[in-house]
Structure formats: C-alpha cells, structure tokens
Amino acid sequence: GNSVTQMEGPVTLSEEAFLTINCTYTATGYPSLFWYVQYPGEGLQLLLKATKADDKGSNKGFEATYRKETTSFHLEKGSVQVSDSAVYFCALRHGYSTLTFGKGTMLLVSP
Amino acid sequence: EAQVTQNPRYLITVTGKKLTVTCSQNMNHEYMSWYRQDPGLGLRQIYYSMNVEVTDKGDVPEGYKVSRKEKRNFPLILESPSPNQTSLYFCASSRGTGLGGGEQFFGPGTRLTVL
C-alpha cells in the first residue's frame, strides 16, 4: 500500500538557519506529493505540491522537488524564521482524492 | 470566504453517549473526508465521501459513522464513544477532479475527550 515516512522531530533551529525535513514515500504509479503545515491550534494548510517527477513546488520560501528515482520529496528553506515554527506533514495522493500522511515533523525556531 | 467549518471545536463527553460532529463547506466541493490526529501517528483517514450519498471507509472507520445527504455537509457520528476515540478530528474537502486534482481544505479541528 501507500505510505509516507518523515524524519522524526522536533527539529530545533536558530533563526536564519537552513532547514531540511526529509520525506520518502512508497506508492505504485505516479502519486501527487504535498507538504502541509499546521500552526499551533489550527488546521492543516497546503504549503506546496508537485504532481509529477522533477516538478518543484515552492511557496513562502519553502521548496521541495519530486524525485522519483529516490522516491523523495524533501522540504527545504534557506533561512527559517520564528514564525515558521509549526508541524509539517508530507503527504501523497494516489487516485481520486485520498491523502496518505506522514506522522508529521515539529519545527521549533528560536530567535 | 471559502472555508470548512466544524462544530463543536471542543467536546468532553462520557463513554456511550452518542455524539455528532458537524462539518460544512461553502466551496461546492464534491469530496469530503474525516481524519483523526493522534500524537506519533499523524493523520489517519476515518471516512470519505466522493459526492452526495457516496461514502467509503478510510483507514480507521471502526466506531464511526458518516452520512452525506447534502453536498455541503458531512457529519461524523459516534454512536457509542469510547476513551480510545479521544483525539483531534479534522474535516477536509476538495474538488474531486481525479489525478492531480484540487487542494484539500481543512477545518479548524474538533478536540474530543471521552471519559
């Protein structure tokens, strides 16, 4: 079946540090890949997505590239801010609309 | 404003007392879904619906029921809640456009505690 594996958190960084959150997936065929962000006390918001191999999704300084050869979709940001502190979920969609989520990675950014 | 609303936001109840969590979306989306979020487990899908009167089980459907009588509403029903259903619940909706289809929009969540 489909599955998503994310690095465990929390990831603790100082402001302006470089961020990488690893995500790998298992799926047949060609899933679409997503990163969602959950700020404290809120629901999930779509951060970025990629729908085919070698696509790069980007938003708010975050980027992730769909790598089919390594079945990965790592999230990166060059310079994090305190306001980026949140839980980040990698997800895939295969077929109609059902999403399969990773377990989430908490990011804590200190000033 | 396009949104998914859930009610109540917080609920404390006792074992066996039937409850309903409502979910409503104003985006005319075909697809709606319920998830539960538990520490260390991420989000797991409970039920989903591809359109009115079309529902199907997700990964963890036991102990839950849903209905989809109108396009905008997708209530989650716990007929006899148990403590292991204590969790944070999210409703989501999207356009049902198949592969590469629409973004899922999430509600704000309902925190349920079953004593």
Side-chain angles (χ1 to χ4, degrees):
Chain A
N2 299 330
S3 67
V4 175
T5 302
Q6 293 180 232
M7 60 190 292
E8 289 193 24
V11 174
T12 304
L13 295 173
S14 298
E15 206 165 24
E16 299 184 3
F18 184 85
L19 168 71
T20 301
I21 300 178
N22 290 337
C23 170
T24 57
Y25 68 89
T26 301
T28 56
Y30 302 93
S32 296
L33 301 174
F34 304 82
W35 278 101
Y36 279 82
V37 58
Q38 184 181 29
Y39 297 104
E42 298 184 12
L44 278 72
Q45 303 172 27
L46 180 65
L47 181 59
L48 54 84
K49 70 177 182 181
T51 57
K52 61 182 187 296
D54 299 326
D55 266 3
K56 177 186 282 188
S58 61
N59 185 26
K60 299 181 182 180
F62 291 89
E63 293 183 340
T65 301
Y66 187 164
R67 302 282 188 204
K68 187 164 176 60
E69 65 275 13
T70 55
T71 62
S72 65
F73 193 54
H74 304 321
L75 182 68
E76 296 182 335
K77 186 175 186 182
S79 176
V80 293
Q81 306 300 311
V82 172
S83 57
D84 294 327
S85 297
V87 180
Y88 292 81
F89 291 92
C90 186
L92 69 81
R93 183 177 64 221
H94 194 270
Y96 195 67
S97 282
T98 297
L99 286 170
T100 299
F101 286 90
K103 294 182 179 181
T105 302
M106 179 178 286
L107 171 64
L108 299 171
V109 181
S110 57
Chain B
E1 179 189 355
Q3 60 183 351
V4 178
T5 56
Q6 296 178 226
N7 282 292
R9 293 289 312 278
Y10 302 90
L11 179 61
I12 300 174
T13 190
V14 296
T15 298
K17 186 176 181 181
K18 180 179 179 179
L19 66 92
T20 299
V21 184
T22 64
C23 173
S24 183
Q25 49 92 6
N26 63 1
M27 295 168 279
N28 201 36
H29 285 165
E30 293 85 6
Y31 181 91
M32 297 185 75
S33 179
W34 276 103
Y35 298 89
R36 60 178 289 174
Q37 182 179 13
D38 301 290
L41 297 176
L43 277 83
R44 295 177 293 169
Q45 190 178 52
I46 303 170
Y47 269 95
Y48 64 97
S49 169
M50 293 190 183
N51 215 323
V52 175
E53 301 292 1
V54 181
T55 63
D56 209 345
K57 296 177 181 179
D59 297 321
V60 288
E62 294 78 20
Y64 303 95
K65 285 176 55 177
V66 293
S67 69
R68 188 90 182 273
K69 293 182 169 46
E70 306 165 284
K71 198 171 188 179
R72 64 183 293 126
N73 296 324
F74 190 46
L76 179 70
I77 303 157
L78 284 73
E79 295 268 3
S80 182
S82 62
N84 64 12
Q85 294 178 297
T86 293
S87 187
L88 179 58
Y89 292 86
F90 288 101
C91 181
S93 73
S94 69
R95 287 182 295 116
T97 57
L99 295 176
E103 168 189 351
Q104 282 203 17
F105 291 83
F106 283 78
T110 296
R111 186 167 292 282
L112 172 65
T113 301
V114 183
L115 302 175

